[in-house]
Amino acid sequence: MELVALAAEAYVYGYPLVRDLSVVEGAMYTGYGPLPPTPFNHFAHADRPVPPDTPFVSVGDDTVRSVAHLDLSGGPVLLHVPGQDGQDGQDGPDSAYRVLQFVDAWTDNFAYVGHRPAGTRAGDWLVVPPGWAGRVPDGVLGVIDAPTSVVTVVGRSDCDGGDDGGGSDGAERVRAFQEQLTVTYVEPGTHRTGLPAPDPDVPEPLRFFEQLRVWMADFPPSAPDRAYQDRFQPLGLLEEGASPYVRADPVLVRALTEGAARGGARVEEADRAAAVRAGWVMQPHLFDYNLDHYGVGTIDSPEWRIADREASYLTRAVAARSALWGVHGYEAVYARALCDAGGGRLNGVHSYVLRFEGRPPAEAGWSLTGYDGAAYGTAGYDVAGSRIGESLAGRVPAYAEDGSLTVRVQRERPDDPVAAVNWLPAPDGDFRLVLRLCAPGAGILDGTYGLPAVERVR
């Protein structure tokens, strides 16, 4: 195969690993969004929802994050999860959405603990490295087998759910939960304090491939993927020891440089090709590329697997580029709208109406959120939505007698009191809408539920 084409394949294949570990490395030294710099095997907690311009958030979220990057090179760790109400030994109320998502270095979601998959029990989970065969401590809730020796745990907590209707009490519950969410070692061993370092003398244009070479060796993928990556031998990606890119042959340099550009363009094009329906982009199967690792909380069935392994590599790269650390569709689905039903860019100079025929099929709740599209960050305006009939951000939507819900999106507060309850303020310029659905129903997953068209009315 032509070297440039091979390098493009390697770029698509390896992009998720390099993207993931680059963010993990940044987390340890600089942090991201409201999450402070944090070493391996410790949790970083946010005190507010993470803005969508944070590296691992693409479409926005209204949950509060707790993130831990686990290093298992020195042995397994115990992850202590308090009860849903933040109190050990108690099962808290089931209404507030909460989940801990486990992601390996290749961005495969391989386990979930929380509201949907495992309930709200307090207790310990043993997270073990690949090939571990030690003794499981008494009393653990279960064992989570990690595919790689570095994994990321992403916790999402709804600070507005719960029986009290949200607000400050919800935030108090989240803080109590965070304070008792801990990681401890169970065996003596030496753990990493950082990631394996690429050779600093490699020229910048080849840095991606040097990162891929080093990290691919230290965090090997599944056996079928290892067989696939053998084809990259001519690119130097399987070389051990000294980097082949410090004084690489000009022919190889040119092939790698052109291949990276071609591979990057392929990922961008695939990302833009997402289908738009009534102004919305919704991809409930974007994270179906995990074909080999099914731990607690995952669903091992054909409808949640991409049939073609090689095709899965492109999907995985698109997900890493546009929604790093996003969850399987059966856990949550995000739909985003940049344009109205007529194709016009959403802008605060206009007014819009969305009519929901009924509550969207989402067992753990849903929300509609607006974000400033120009800066790709939070606009800071209110949220209209519902969580299993309870308030979100202190506001209960007003449903009509027929069960429908009409949301107005515009700059000015409507004069009509009912319309004002269901009002989503818009900024002055471009913006986007995100519809978030937790534990979505079949209608969302199979596409039979029609998302409400964003109708421009002025």
Side-chain angles (χ1 to χ4, degrees):
M1 178 183 289
E2 178 196 1
L3 276 183
V4 173
L6 188 64
E9 280 193 15
Y11 182 92
V12 172
Y13 171 81
Y15 176 82
L17 178 69
V18 174
R19 169 101 166 103
D20 176 89
L21 293 180
S22 296
V23 175
V24 169
E25 194 166 52
M28 291 189 290
Y29 300 113
T30 61
Y32 35 58
L35 297 170
T38 308
F40 277 132
N41 299 322
H42 292 78
F43 269 98
H45 300 296
D47 58 1
R48 62 189 185 279
V50 178
D53 57 351
T54 302
F56 62 88
V57 181
S58 65
V59 295
D61 201 344
D62 45 18
T63 56
V64 176
R65 298 294 177 96
S66 298
V67 178
H69 304 291
L70 306 183
D71 172 68
L72 307 173
S73 60
V77 300
L78 274 178
L79 173 65
H80 179 72
V81 181
Q84 183 82 343
D85 60 357
Q87 299 301 312
D88 282 337
Q90 299 183 25
D91 289 343
D94 235 356
S95 56
Y97 176 76
R98 184 167 292 141
V99 68
L100 295 174
Q101 165 201 7
F102 295 76
V103 191
D104 73 6
W106 291 86
T107 70
D108 287 325
N109 296 321
F110 64 92
Y112 298 96
V113 170
H115 184 281
R116 174 195 60 82
T120 61
R121 291 178 299 163
D124 296 325
W125 295 84
L126 185 68
V127 188
V128 306
W132 183 79
R135 187 185 72 83
V136 177
D138 295 336
V140 299
L141 294 177
V143 176
I144 297 174
D145 292 292
T148 54
S149 60
V150 165
V151 300
T152 296
V153 182
V154 183
R156 295 173 173 85
S157 299
D158 169 18
C159 62
D160 294 311
D163 295 335
D164 61 5
S168 60
D169 288 344
E172 296 278 347
R173 278 198 308 277
V174 170
R175 281 193 292 273
F177 178 85
Q178 291 175 334
E179 288 172 359
Q180 298 180 62
L181 187 63
T182 59
V183 177
T184 56
Y185 301 125
V186 295
E187 295 178 350
T190 302
H191 291 259
R192 295 184 185 91
T193 57
L195 293 173
D199 192 318
D201 293 329
V202 171
E204 184 59 34
L206 303 185
R207 178 171 172 78
F208 171 89
F209 290 100
E210 172 65 1
Q211 290 174 310
L212 180 57
R213 181 188 73 88
V214 172
W215 290 339
M216 196 165 65
D218 220 63
F219 307 102
S222 64
D225 284 355
R226 286 199 298 271
Y228 176 85
Q229 70 186 27
D230 285 346
R231 70 180 62 197
F232 302 136
Q233 177 69 54
L235 302 175
L237 285 172
L238 305 184
E239 295 292 327
E240 298 180 358
S243 174
Y245 305 127
V246 174
R247 297 178 182 84
D249 183 276
V251 174
L252 179 60
V253 172
R254 183 164 54 252
L256 293 174
T257 304
E258 293 181 13
R262 189 181 297 183
R266 188 179 301 167
V267 175
E268 291 181 20
E269 182 180 355
D271 190 15
R272 291 195 299 267
V276 179
R277 296 176 57 187
W280 295 94
V281 173
M282 185 170 67
Q283 298 171 283
H285 293 283
L286 182 61
F287 296 91
D288 292 1
Y289 51 78
N290 175 15
L291 307 179
D292 304 297
H293 308 291
Y294 300 97
V296 60
T298 60
I299 297 178
D300 180 6
S301 61
E303 65 266 32
W304 296 106
R305 287 196 297 267
I306 296 175
D308 185 329
R309 181 173 290 271
E310 291 194 23
S312 75
Y313 300 141
L314 180 58
T315 302
R316 183 176 67 179
V318 169
R321 178 182 185 271
S322 63
L324 183 66
W325 303 345
V327 296
H328 278 98
Y330 50 75
E331 182 63 40
V333 171
Y334 300 81
R336 63 187 187 274
L338 295 173
C339 300
D340 59 35
R345 186 71 172 86
L346 297 181
N347 190 286
V349 73
H350 303 296
S351 297
Y352 306 90
V353 167
L354 295 81
R355 177 184 168 84
F356 294 82
E357 296 304 323
R359 284 180 171 83
E363 180 184 339
W366 68 275
S367 64
L368 179 67
T369 312
Y371 295 101
D372 183 347
Y376 208 63
T378 52
Y381 46 88
D382 292 337
V383 177
S386 172
R387 294 292 179 86
I388 318 176
E390 296 174 338
S391 67
L392 180 65
R395 200 141 55 92
V396 179
Y399 290 86
E401 291 184 2
D402 62 0
S404 66
L405 171 66
T406 300
V407 176
R408 293 185 176 274
V409 185
Q410 59 190 46
R411 285 181 299 182
E412 305 83 10
R413 181 184 181 89
D415 294 330
D416 179 76
V418 174
V421 171
N422 299 333
W423 168 51
L424 188 67
D428 291 334
D430 290 344
F431 66 94
R432 69 194 190 283
L433 297 173
V434 173
L435 181 63
R436 174 175 169 266
L437 306 117
C438 296
I444 298 295
L445 301 179
D446 62 21
T448 56
Y449 175 82
L451 296 179
V454 185
E455 300 286 354
R456 176 180 159 184
V457 294
R458 176 175 62 80

